[in-house]
Amino acid sequence: MRPVQPGKLAENTIRSSGHHMTPQRLVILEVLEGSNGHTSAEEIHSHVRSRYPKLHISTIYRALDMLKRLGLATETDLGDGKLRYHLHEKGYHHHLICEKCGRVEDMDESIFTPLKAALRRKHHFHADLRHLAIFGRCQGCA
Amino acid sequence: MRPVQPGKLAENTIRSSGHHMTPQRLVILEVLEGSNGHTSAEEIHSHVRSRYPKLHISTIYRALDMLKRLGLATETDLGDGKLRYHLHEKGYHHHLICEKCGRVEDMDESIFTPLKAALRRKHHFHADLRHLAIFGRCQGCA
DNA sequence: AGCGTGGTTGCGAATAGTTGCATCTTTGCT
DNA sequence: AGCAAAGATGCAACTATTCGCAACCACGCT
Ligand SMILES: [Zn+2]
Ligand SMILES: [Zn+2]
Ligand SMILES: [Zn+2]
Ligand SMILES: [Zn+2]
């Protein structure tokens, strides 16, 4: 079994799930792969506006929604008024956000392992906890 | 020490935190207290439209934001495209939402006790986990 | 290469929520 | 009761996101 080439996983998943690969989706994926991993729809839009002036922001929203439904990306509200999208290829993690001072701390994904197990055991529920923002107070603002 | 009368807790907290009590806020609180506990801004608006036709929806959003900041209410996205507000007086709980079939299961608040403790211990973070919606797959849709 | 089907796009309108600002109210003080 | 200051309201404009629909294009089949 040959490993999927970097950058091709999304494309393969899209095609094999009955979706079409389009130039729009290709350039949207390029931007996501070239970003820091917390990209908003509007940021994608302004990155591609010069090359594809007609690429409509609703197309970006629809592409992001598809990536989310295919399990390729997460959609997370980091508290700044816009949803941010993160490709799984870039690795799992979570965020602690202080709602007083705004400080953001990153967390390893392992923090949710016991919770996920408890939800499966007690509620037979398979929680999708891949890129969460947890709000609260940091040490200084407690 | 006399116990706070039911329904007066919010009013007392608002006054003692330097905010004004207005007829608008009073009627918004009435609606919240008379509801099932998962009320949207638009629902409040249509409930009060007959009595207070001028009460603007932005006033409702601002009142709900204040209740949230004072810790009297939570704001939760239950996945139906609008934020829903829940008075704490009505008791703590959480929701498991299947993103395939839409089924919603309610959960006791105790499920997050270990997670909260871990976040305090390992990250010195006081997480506000009072009314969460967790998305994933239910048993039938796993 | 040509064709049909079904998925996709651009666009404009709609929905949900936020913000700036002038005006008005509540509240504490006299 | 009368006043000033701080806070709240209504409104309109604005941002973020979704949706309906007609035109369009990707992909599998021949
Ligand atoms: Zn992240
Ligand atoms: Zn802080
Ligand atoms: Zn609830
Ligand atoms: Zn289900």
Side-chain angles (χ1 to χ4, degrees):
Chain A
M1 159 174 154
R2 209 156 46 79
V4 175
Q5 299 161 43
K8 295 299 178 201
L9 188 155
E11 197 171 331
N12 290 346
T13 308
I14 289 168
R15 285 184 195 281
S16 67
S17 63
H19 290 281
H20 294 176
M21 184 50 53
T22 65
Q24 290 91 333
R25 290 178 176 176
L26 227 38
V27 68
I28 289 166
L29 279 170
E30 267 176 45
V31 173
L32 283 172
E33 284 166 4
S35 78
N36 69 352
H38 298 91
T39 317
S40 72
E42 181 52 44
E43 281 168 10
I44 297 174
H45 197 210
S46 48
H47 275 311
V48 304
R49 200 183 317 244
S50 51
R51 271 186 296 165
Y52 295 80
K54 297 285 256 340
L55 205 171
H56 200 270
I57 188 133
S58 68
T59 298
I60 296 173
Y61 278 112
R62 281 187 283 233
L64 292 169
D65 185 59
M66 181 196 62
L67 295 176
K68 179 175 55 157
R69 277 183 294 97
L70 293 179
L72 293 166
T74 47
E75 176 187 77
T76 307
D77 174 7
L78 295 178
D80 67 344
K82 43 196 80 175
L83 295 172
R84 296 190 170 272
Y85 296 85
H86 179 263
L87 279 188
H88 290 175
E89 309 177 358
K90 296 192 165 256
Y92 296 136
H93 65 277
H94 307 282
H95 301 278
L96 295 172
I97 302 181
C98 177
E99 55 201 2
K100 188 167 181 219
C101 72
R103 216 160 67 90
V104 178
E105 185 177 351
D106 294 0
M107 265 191 310
D108 193 78
E109 61 160 328
S110 63
I111 192 86
F112 290 125
T113 306
L115 175 63
K116 279 165 100 158
L119 291 174
R120 266 199 299 275
R121 188 160 19 83
K122 293 188 192 165
H123 297 272
H124 309 292
F125 189 84
H126 300 258
D128 176 13
L129 304 173
R130 281 177 295 189
H131 188 222
L132 292 196
I134 294 199
F135 294 88
R137 295 294 184 101
C138 76
Q139 189 164 27
C141 300
Chain B
M1 155 174 153
R2 207 156 47 77
V4 176
Q5 298 160 44
K8 294 300 177 200
L9 189 155
E11 197 171 333
N12 290 346
T13 308
I14 290 167
R15 293 194 127 93
S16 67
S17 64
H19 291 281
H20 294 173
M21 183 50 53
T22 65
Q24 289 91 335
R25 289 178 177 176
L26 227 38
V27 70
I28 290 166
L29 278 171
E30 268 176 45
V31 173
L32 284 173
E33 283 165 4
S35 79
N36 69 353
H38 299 91
T39 317
S40 72
E42 183 50 43
E43 281 168 11
I44 298 175
H45 197 210
S46 46
H47 275 312
V48 305
R49 200 182 317 247
S50 48
R51 273 185 295 165
Y52 295 79
K54 300 284 255 345
L55 205 171
H56 201 271
I57 190 133
S58 69
T59 298
I60 296 174
Y61 279 113
R62 281 189 280 232
L64 292 169
D65 185 59
M66 181 196 62
L67 294 175
K68 180 176 51 158
R69 278 184 290 98
L70 293 180
L72 292 165
T74 47
E75 175 188 76
T76 306
D77 174 8
L78 296 177
D80 67 343
K82 44 195 79 174
L83 295 173
R84 296 190 169 273
Y85 296 86
H86 179 263
L87 279 187
H88 290 176
E89 309 177 358
K90 296 190 165 257
Y92 296 135
H93 65 278
H94 307 282
H95 301 277
L96 295 173
I97 303 180
C98 177
E99 54 198 6
K100 187 164 180 221
C101 71
R103 218 160 65 91
V104 178
E105 184 176 351
D106 294 359
M107 261 191 313
D108 192 77
E109 60 160 326
S110 62
I111 192 88
F112 290 124
T113 306
L115 175 63
K116 280 164 100 158
L119 291 174
R120 265 199 300 275
R121 189 163 14 87
K122 293 189 194 165
H123 296 272
H124 309 292
F125 189 84
H126 301 258
D128 176 13
L129 304 173
R130 282 177 296 189
H131 188 223
L132 291 196
I134 294 200
F135 295 88
R137 296 293 185 101
C138 76
Q139 188 164 27
C141 300

